Amino acid sequence: MSRLQLALNVNDLEESIAFYSTLFGAEPAKRKPGYANFAIADPPLKLVLIENPGQGGSVNHLGVEVEDSASVDAEHLRLGRAGFAATEERDTTCCYAKQDKFWVENAPNGERWEVYTVLADSETFSAEVSDSDGCCGHAVTAEPEPSASACC
């Protein structure tokens, strides 16, 4: 199963969880400090909320969640043949999940798109605790709570 992913920056995580729980009639599939995601069946959507005070209401990034790594590979090949530039990330930890993915680098308006599959859950937001451009282009600190602009 594939589904679109919409990652939103939110000012207040708890207020946003309450709103989207009511809007979609579903509770978050995963909650961590500063982060929540919903796996919505109808419409098929992975809604990700990233607490980022002062940036609420803006798109963090967009994505397509696919079933497995073979599907990631197939999409990477298909889009590469179409001339799309991509940055590949394998066995990476991002947004409390171990993932295989790639990022489309040349969207016409600069929006960030990822194609990914979740391999396993993780207790950490990102494996890159000192990389200033860590998970999903997100500045990562040693704290488990995300505090900057972009991640899944």
Side-chain angles (χ1 to χ4, degrees), residues 10-22 31 49 51:
V10 299
N11 289 322
D12 183 303
L13 185 63
E14 294 306 317
E15 178 180 53
S16 297
I17 287 171
F19 175 82
Y20 288 108
S21 292
T22 301
R31 290 179 71 155
L49 305 177
E51 191 165 53

Side-chain angles (χ1 to χ4, degrees), residues 78-90:
R78 182 182 73 80
L79 292 173
R81 286 182 178 154
F84 284 45
T87 300
E88 192 172 7
E89 295 180 21
R90 295 297 173 147

Side-chain angles (χ1 to χ4, degrees), residues 16-144:
S16 297
I17 287 171
F19 175 82
Y20 288 108
S21 292
T22 301
L23 181 66
F24 290 110
E27 292 299 315
K30 185 184 290 188
R31 290 179 71 155
K32 299 286 184 177
Y35 175 89
N37 78 42
F38 293 77
I40 311 227
D42 187 21
L45 173 67
K46 179 74 152 281
L47 176 65
V48 177
L49 305 177
I50 300 168
E51 191 165 53
N52 196 355
Q55 299 298 312
S58 62
V59 172
N60 186 286
H61 68 278
L62 304 163
V64 179
E65 181 180 23
V66 296
E67 192 168 342
D68 52 30
S69 294
S71 298
V72 171
D73 294 341
E75 286 301 296
H76 191 225
L77 180 62
R78 182 182 73 80
L79 292 173
R81 286 182 178 154
F84 284 45
T87 300
E88 192 172 7
E89 295 180 21
R90 295 297 173 147
D91 200 29
T92 188
T93 300
C94 185
C95 294
Y96 300 101
K98 191 173 185 180
Q99 305 171 348
D100 279 346
K101 66 178 158 184
F102 68 91
W103 290 91
V104 174
E105 297 296 323
N106 55 343
N109 298 299
E111 61 273 16
R112 293 178 50 86
W113 278 93
E114 68 174 329
V115 176
Y116 72 99
T117 190
V118 173
L119 304 171
D121 280 342
S122 171
E123 291 303 313
T124 59
F125 186 74
S126 171
E128 305 293 325
V129 293
S130 62
D131 185 354
S132 64
D133 199 30
C135 173
C136 306
H138 171 312
V140 179
T141 63
E143 292 84 41

